[in-house]
Amino acid sequence: MRVRLVMWFLVLALLMAGVFIFGMQKSFSGGWAEAARPMLTDYADRLVAEIGTPPDVARAQALAQRLPISIRIVGPTVNWDSNPDQRAGPWRHEREFSEDRWFVRPTADGHRIVFGWAPRIWQGAPHAIGWFTLAALLLLVVLVYAAVSRLLRPLIDIREGAERFGRGEFAQPIPVRRRDDLGDLAQRINTMAHDIQGMLDAKRALLLALSHELRSPLTRARLNAELLPDTPEGAAERDALLRDLNEMRDLISDLLESERLASPHAALQREPVDLAALIREVAAELPHGESVTLDLSANLPPRPLDRTRMRLLVRNLLDNALRYSAGAPQPPRVSLEAEGAGVRLDVRDFGPGVDDAQLEHLTEPFYRTDSARQRATGGVGLGMYLCRLVAEAHGGSLQVRNAHPGLVIAVRLA
């Protein structure tokens, strides 16, 4: 927008300058030319008289040296030009020999004397004026750009503030630089962001409180279910009840962990962790984890990581890959390698994959693809969200892409 405004300003300035110059030129060429014509005609007649009849070349040459004019004599006996090497000049065109031009004067013996400006006038013209004009124009462009930038700075602040608020960063409000409509708009957006932050904090506090309060009765219910008589008649119902209670326990744990990691004050308990050994350990604990293909670089040094959160990340990624590899031609594959100063962990399954339009939503909370709506194949949509939070808490990132077949989840840790 700033560039467009500056360009419009320059175009308007050039148009105004052109109109002004055209009008002044017409004004001077009209009225002033008519007023000056008698004086110029009289002056040309005096010069012709001084040259003499027939024209005296010596006198004409003396006049050309004394005055800033060029003289050309054309006739039956004398043909002379004060600037024979100069091809430029108003008399070089046939139209300039018209009798109504003051610089073309006939003599009584049939000669024509043509007057014009001497080339040394243009050669001695101050060329610095052109460069000064160009520098002034460039300085004007810089000043206008600075003024437009200052004028649009509140809009840039509002755009940057909206982007921060969209990412959930409410610590830095939009600066209110002026007391006008834009300043009032920035203040209102700050108030809206403060209200949104309050609602998000209240939602987070409610989820944490509910999760904490649900843990106690859930633990008691699970304990009572385990104490039920283990008879053949009630074994199926008892196992189903324990399975549902375990799912509720995992859900509450994931909710608590997601709220802790989403907090800007999330604390990590870092310690040196052998990531390759951790991956092997988690894979051995999962059902069918022995089928996972492990391609882990050797001699990777331990990294300062939160062991509990990294176990959560690896467990969720492997569990997700195993769940969607049922019936796939190949088992999931896990690779770990150094990447610059960090490491990169890739987990790939060979399942059906997802639509490209759904990839960017896979790491959102409570999002499940259309193919994962069944409880047998999909959870509540917190697993990938937790993985992203764990990676970002460690200063890394998580990306998902289709591998055709299957998905590749790439985790980069700094």
Side-chain angles (χ1 to χ4, degrees):
M1 182 180 290
R2 285 177 291 183
V3 175
R4 289 198 296 267
L5 287 176
V6 171
M7 293 303 298
W8 276 111
F9 175 83
L10 290 178
V11 170
L12 180 61
L14 291 175
L15 289 177
M16 292 179 62
V19 171
F20 177 78
I21 293 174
F22 178 78
M24 295 300 294
Q25 183 181 12
K26 287 297 182 182
S27 175
F28 278 97
S29 63
W32 288 99
E34 293 299 327
R37 183 183 294 275
M39 293 185 290
L40 296 176
T41 302
D42 181 70
Y43 186 71
D45 291 339
R46 290 176 181 272
L47 293 179
V48 170
E50 186 172 350
I51 293 174
T53 303
D56 189 339
V57 174
R59 293 181 180 180
Q61 187 172 6
L63 284 175
Q65 293 176 354
R66 187 174 79 248
L67 301 176
I69 59 175
S70 294
I71 301 175
R72 182 185 180 191
I73 302 174
V74 181
T77 59
V78 180
N79 289 277
W80 177 82
D81 194 338
S82 62
N83 294 283
D85 297 332
Q86 294 291 334
R87 297 183 178 273
W91 55 83
R92 295 306 179 189
H93 302 284
E94 198 63 34
R95 60 183 178 85
E96 301 293 350
F97 288 94
S98 174
E99 293 292 342
D100 61 349
R101 306 291 294 192
W102 72 270
F103 45 78
V104 179
R105 306 303 297 165
T107 61
D109 58 353
H111 289 82
R112 285 190 177 189
I113 302 177
V114 184
F115 299 98
W117 298 114
R120 65 175 181 270
I121 293 180
W122 314 113
Q123 296 173 357
H127 298 289
I129 294 179
W131 293 109
F132 177 78
T133 303
L134 179 60
L137 181 61
L138 293 177
L139 179 62
L140 179 63
V141 172
V142 172
L143 293 177
V144 171
Y145 186 82
V148 172
S149 299
R150 182 188 177 99
L151 181 65
L152 297 180
R153 185 63 209 178
L155 291 177
I156 298 175
D157 292 336
I158 292 174
R159 182 196 65 190
E160 294 175 349
E163 292 176 352
R164 289 195 303 271
F165 299 156
R167 295 191 301 266
E169 302 173 3
F170 299 98
Q172 181 182 356
I174 300 173
V176 180
R177 301 179 184 273
R178 301 202 308 238
R179 300 298 178 183
D180 54 6
D181 292 340
L182 290 178
D184 181 67
L185 176 61
Q187 185 61 47
R188 291 176 182 272
I189 294 178
N190 285 335
T191 302
M192 179 187 67
H194 183 268
D195 295 340
I196 293 175
Q197 184 182 14
M199 288 187 292
L200 291 176
D201 291 340
K203 184 265 295 182
R204 183 173 294 114
L206 177 62
L207 282 176
L208 288 174
L210 286 176
S211 300
H212 279 294
E213 293 299 326
L214 285 174
R215 272 192 163 183
S216 296
L218 183 61
T219 302
R220 291 194 299 269
R222 188 171 183 277
L223 180 60
N224 292 330
E226 290 177 348
L227 293 176
L228 289 175
D230 189 8
T231 60
E233 294 81 6
E237 291 78 3
R238 180 177 178 272
D239 293 341
L241 179 58
L242 287 175
R243 184 170 56 252
D244 291 339
L245 291 173
N246 288 335
E247 288 185 3
M248 292 178 63
R249 179 199 59 193
D250 294 340
L251 172 60
I252 292 174
S253 298
D254 289 346
L255 282 172
L256 285 171
E257 190 63 25
S258 65
E259 291 304 319
R260 292 193 190 101
L261 290 172
S263 172
H265 307 290
L268 299 179
Q269 304 297 324
R270 292 181 182 265
E271 58 180 295
V273 175
D274 186 346
L275 195 53
L278 179 65
I279 294 172
R280 294 189 185 96
E281 180 183 338
V282 174
E285 295 174 356
L286 291 175
H288 308 292
E290 69 281 356
S291 64
V292 177
T293 303
L294 300 179
D295 182 13
L296 310 178
S297 297
N299 301 324
L300 285 177
R303 307 190 63 80
L305 304 172
D306 188 314
R307 179 180 294 273
T308 303
R309 269 63 182 268
M310 290 308 300
R311 281 184 61 89
L312 174 65
L313 180 143
V314 175
R315 177 176 61 84
N316 284 346
L317 292 182
L318 290 180
D319 183 67
N320 185 76
L322 288 169
R323 182 184 301 119
Y324 292 103
S325 292
Q330 298 182 45
R333 183 167 59 200
V334 179
S335 62
L336 178 67
E337 61 183 0
E339 187 177 66
V343 294
R344 172 173 172 171
L345 170 65
D346 286 351
V347 179
R348 177 181 178 180
D349 65 74
F350 293 87
V354 298
D355 293 335
D356 291 338
Q358 295 179 328
L359 287 176
E360 59 181 343
H361 302 291
L362 290 181
T363 57
E364 296 177 357
F366 303 106
Y367 181 83
R368 288 185 292 163
T369 61
D370 294 336
S371 60
R373 294 297 177 184
Q374 301 296 326
R375 294 292 298 165
T377 57
V380 296
L382 283 176
M384 294 293 294
Y385 174 60
L386 280 172
C387 292
R388 178 173 67 85
L389 292 180
V390 171
E392 292 175 352
H394 285 82
S397 63
L398 183 146
Q399 295 179 339
V400 185
R401 70 176 187 274
N402 273 315
H404 305 294
L407 284 177
V408 174
I409 302 170
V411 178
R412 292 178 174 86
L413 300 175

